Amino acid sequence: MAHFAELNPKTNMVKRVIVVNNAVIRNESGKEIEQIGIDFCKQLFGEDTEWVQTSYNANFRGHFAGPGFWYDRQNDVFV
């Protein structure tokens, strides 16, 4: 399963994290693409929302995000 964090666009604080089925974020070749997941989240919650993928196993972006975490855009990590 893929996880996506919704950000407050003004503060970069995580508002919530949702789970998206991996099949949803795969392209025609079967490769998982973050932007496909972001587009899916925007379809569900509104085009004015902002999403970033987070890793449950902390394989990327430092930590698994949760409400209250902050997304450091410059370093592309959650803190």
Side-chain angles (χ1 to χ4, degrees):
M1 301 307 264
H3 297 81
F4 287 84
E6 182 182 7
L7 303 179
N8 177 320
K10 293 180 182 176
T11 64
N12 293 326
M13 296 295 287
V14 176
K15 296 168 69 174
R16 63 179 154 182
V17 176
I18 65 166
V19 178
V20 177
N21 190 304
N22 287 348
V24 171
I25 67 169
R26 288 192 179 111
N27 66 10
E28 315 77 46
S29 302
K31 182 178 179 185
E32 292 181 5
I33 306 293
E34 179 179 13
Q35 188 61 52
I36 295 172
I38 291 169
D39 294 343
F40 177 77
C41 293
K42 287 180 174 244
Q43 286 176 349
L44 290 176
F45 297 100
E47 288 297 320
D48 61 337
T49 58
E50 188 168 348
W51 299 88
V52 177
Q53 190 171 5
T54 185
S55 171
Y56 183 77
N57 297 317
N59 291 331
F60 55 90
R61 295 202 167 110
H63 300 279
F64 178 66
F69 276 64
W70 176 71
Y71 178 60
D72 177 347
R73 291 180 188 279
Q74 183 174 354
N75 295 305
D76 193 27
V77 295
F78 290 101
V79 292

